[in-house]
Amino acid sequence: MVVQAVAARYASRIRPAEQDQDGGALTPRELEVLRLIADGLSNSEIAATLVISQETVKTYVSRILTKLDLRDRVQAVVYAYRRGLVT
């Protein structure tokens, strides 16, 4: 909940990713992982939720950050909130 509050508070201050403005470049599974990141879950929690390995989660996170031209998970959370992928 803290992550959500902080992300919502600062979302308007961070520039949006310039590539795909609606997340359409992401696969459905990558969108699912992005939503879980935005919910504040760790890699191990995401792995348990999706019944996949932590290495697979790391791969998804890396692909998400690369596709959206984001530096880190914080920017991914902000991106998800700004695009309305989470509420």
Side-chain angles (χ1 to χ4, degrees):
M1 295 183 79
V2 172
V3 171
Q4 293 171 346
V6 170
R9 183 174 174 192
Y10 293 102
S12 64
R13 296 182 184 180
I14 297 177
R15 71 167 179 80
E18 294 174 5
Q19 288 182 342
D20 191 350
Q21 298 299 317
D22 65 357
L26 301 179
T27 65
R29 188 61 148 193
E30 289 167 344
L31 282 170
E32 189 174 12
V33 171
L34 178 57
R35 287 183 181 106
L36 293 173
I37 292 169
D39 284 339
L41 275 66
S42 67
N43 285 357
S44 61
E45 292 168 328
I46 293 170
T49 300
L50 300 179
V51 191
I52 57 177
S53 73
Q54 288 187 42
E55 289 301 316
T56 302
V57 174
K58 289 178 186 179
T59 299
Y60 279 124
V61 171
S62 177
R63 287 181 185 168
I64 290 165
L65 296 177
T66 299
K67 284 183 176 183
L68 300 177
D69 192 29
L70 303 172
R71 283 189 313 258
D72 52 35
R73 291 172 77 103
V74 174
Q75 281 194 335
V77 170
V78 172
Y79 178 92
Y81 274 90
R82 292 189 77 178
R83 300 300 178 269
L85 300 174
V86 291
T87 55

